[in-house]
């Protein structure tokens, strides 16, 4: 049985920022994220470093497996690392409310 991936909040935030950068590098990916999440460009800028926004970014990747695989392949990241980081960011966002 594989050992579960453990993250610190800082590591999960860094992964979320990497994913946000990945989306922002391609206009179509970014517009799709904004459209599907209902986030405005101003809202994205305001929340870019916040756990809630980073959780939304990772959640978006988890909902789109082909996009997830492109991201993880380009960044050399294990695809299995996205879900635990997402869960940690969701918990952090809920605590800060």
């Amino acid at each position: 049985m594989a050992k579960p991936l453990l993250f610190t909040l800082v590591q999960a935030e860094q992964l979320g920022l990497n994913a946000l950068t990945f989306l922002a590098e391609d206009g179509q990916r970014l517009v799709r994220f904004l459209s599907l999440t209902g986030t405005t460009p101003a809202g994205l800028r305001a929340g870019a470093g916040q756990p809630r926004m980073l959780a939304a970014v990772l959640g978006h990747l988890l909902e789109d497996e082909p996009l997830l695989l492109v991201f993880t392949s380009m960044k050399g990241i294990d695809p299995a690392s996205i879900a635990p980081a997402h869960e940690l960011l969701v918990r952090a966002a809920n605590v800060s409310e």
Side-chain angles (χ1 to χ4, degrees):
M1 181 197 257
K3 199 172 170 182
L5 297 168
L6 301 176
F7 284 90
T8 66
L9 180 56
V10 171
Q11 290 169 320
E13 288 173 337
Q14 186 59 54
L15 184 56
L17 287 169
N18 286 339
L20 179 55
T21 300
F22 166 76
L23 294 178
E25 289 171 344
D26 181 284
Q28 289 181 332
R29 287 191 297 239
L30 185 59
V31 166
R32 185 167 185 270
F33 169 75
L34 295 173
S35 175
L36 291 174
T37 61
T39 305
T40 64
L44 180 60
R45 280 190 298 278
Q50 301 301 315
R52 176 185 307 280
M53 182 60 69
L54 299 176
V57 170
L58 293 183
H60 176 70
L61 293 181
L62 288 169
E63 293 293 322
D64 186 339
E65 186 176 7
L67 186 62
L68 171 70
L69 295 176
V70 170
F71 168 67
T72 56
S73 175
M74 286 179 66
K75 301 297 182 180
I77 299 169
D78 180 355
S81 67
I82 304 302
H86 174 257
E87 291 171 18
L88 182 57
L89 289 166
V90 167
R91 284 196 308 270
N94 288 335
V95 167
S96 67
E97 288 182 348

